[in-house]
């Protein structure tokens, strides 16, 4: 293994907390990683506006929700990131706040897919576990380094913190090919929570792993 590859793996294994100064590069990282995601393809603008729509989506998520809750972790080189929400954290907007976000929603989803996005959101909320847990909102690795072990490293490093707190973890897996990735980390598949007509969204649950000795 070359020194450069080892440095990338070490960076993913020892992530730092993201700050608001990281929002722009992280929104670009996640937009690239989710360009071909089936669920985002179902609900986000199509064609040449997709990348800009995804960047707008992730910029808002990281700025207004995820980073302020202090559990977004990234490799120092910016090639891998995982966004957790702590137990009981705010996940979405409601009431008057939804009206405030409508112009943003149009830029991301467009009129033609807004209803789809709301149906996905409603299904996620309806099926979200009630018991205490850490919620894995998003995970991404730079496209040029996918399959190189960075995702496994950063997920393992953050799950160790969750295990140390005795907390369970939950994720909605939007890609069939990622099921084994999550299973190797200890997640167990539960059920497809996606609304009728939408791509599968597999709920997966992980009990805390207690180390012995």
């Amino acid at each position: 293994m070359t020194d450069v590859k080892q440095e990338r793996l070490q960076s993913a294994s020892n992530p730092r907390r993201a700050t608001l100064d990281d929002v722009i590069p992280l929104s670009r990282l996640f937009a690239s990683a989710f360009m071909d995601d089936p669920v985002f393809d179902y609900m986000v603008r199509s064609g040449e506006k997709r990348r800009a729509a995804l960047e707008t989506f992730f910029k808002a998520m990281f700025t207004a929700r995820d980073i302020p809750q202090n559990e977004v972790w990234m490799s120092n080189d910016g090639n891998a990131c995982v966004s957790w929400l702590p137990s009981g954290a705010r996940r979405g907007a409601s009431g008057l706040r939804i009206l405030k976000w409508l112009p943003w929603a149009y830029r991301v989803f467009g009129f033609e897919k807004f209803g789809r996005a709301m149906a996905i959101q409603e299904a996620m909320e309806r099926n979200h576990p009630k018991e205490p847990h850490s919620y894995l909102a998003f995970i991404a690795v730079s496209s040029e380094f996918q399959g190189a072990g960075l995702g496994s490293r950063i997920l393992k490093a953050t799950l160790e913190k969750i295990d140390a707190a005795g907390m369970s973890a939950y994720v909605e897996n939007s890609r069939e090919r990622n099921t084994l990735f999550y299973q190797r980390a200890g997640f167990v598949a539960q059920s497809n929570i996606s609304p009728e007509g939408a791509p599968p969204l597999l709920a997966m649950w992980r009990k805390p792993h207690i180390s012995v000795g």
Side-chain angles (χ1 to χ4, degrees):
M1 183 181 299
T2 66
D3 290 343
V4 174
K5 288 182 179 179
Q6 185 60 37
E7 287 174 5
R8 281 198 294 267
L9 290 170
Q10 286 297 323
S11 185
S13 297
N14 297 279
R16 64 171 176 83
R17 277 192 170 93
T19 71
L20 291 176
D21 290 337
D22 299 305
V23 165
I24 297 302
L26 287 183
S27 65
R28 291 171 179 164
L29 170 69
F30 278 81
S32 178
F34 280 82
M35 278 290 288
D36 63 348
D37 180 272
V39 172
F40 275 82
D41 180 60
Y42 178 77
M43 65 181 187
V44 173
R45 281 178 174 271
S46 304
E48 61 183 17
K49 294 183 178 181
R50 162 146 318 149
R51 184 175 294 274
L54 284 169
E55 288 188 16
T56 297
F57 174 85
F58 284 108
K59 182 179 179 182
M61 289 297 101
F62 285 122
T63 301
R65 189 191 72 172
D66 294 30
I67 288 177
Q69 298 188 81
N70 212 32
E71 289 299 330
V72 178
W73 296 84
M74 62 182 292
S75 59
N76 203 47
D77 58 17
N79 287 316
C81 180
V82 59
S83 176
W84 291 95
L85 296 181
S87 189
R90 172 175 52 83
R91 295 189 301 276
S94 61
L96 293 176
R97 295 183 62 207
I98 289 180
L99 296 178
K100 179 181 177 181
W101 282 77
L102 280 178
W104 169 87
Y106 170 72
R107 291 197 303 273
V108 174
F109 309 117
F111 286 129
E112 70 279 8
K113 292 189 176 182
F114 181 77
R116 293 182 176 186
M118 293 302 99
I120 292 284
Q121 177 66 25
E122 289 170 7
M124 291 168 65
E125 285 301 308
R126 184 170 60 251
N127 291 280
H128 205 90
K130 301 297 188 293
E131 53 264 57
H133 65 279
S134 290
Y135 174 41
L136 201 174
F138 307 111
I139 184 170
V141 172
S142 294
S143 56
E144 61 184 309
F145 300 124
Q146 288 180 8
L150 303 187
S152 297
R153 290 290 187 100
I154 198 167
L155 182 59
K156 180 177 183 292
T158 52
L159 281 172
E160 287 174 353
K161 302 176 191 297
I162 293 167
D163 285 338
M167 189 68 65
S168 295
Y170 174 73
V171 64
E172 296 128 347
N173 174 22
S174 58
R175 300 192 199 198
E176 184 178 356
R177 70 175 188 241
N178 286 347
T179 301
L180 183 58
F181 169 79
Y182 289 119
Q183 288 175 333
R184 286 172 175 164
F187 287 88
V188 177
Q190 294 185 315
S191 61
N192 173 26
I193 65 169
S194 204
E196 185 176 357
L201 192 58
L202 183 62
M204 304 186 75
W205 182 261
R206 181 184 185 274
K207 295 180 179 180
H209 291 199
I210 308 300
S211 59
V212 178

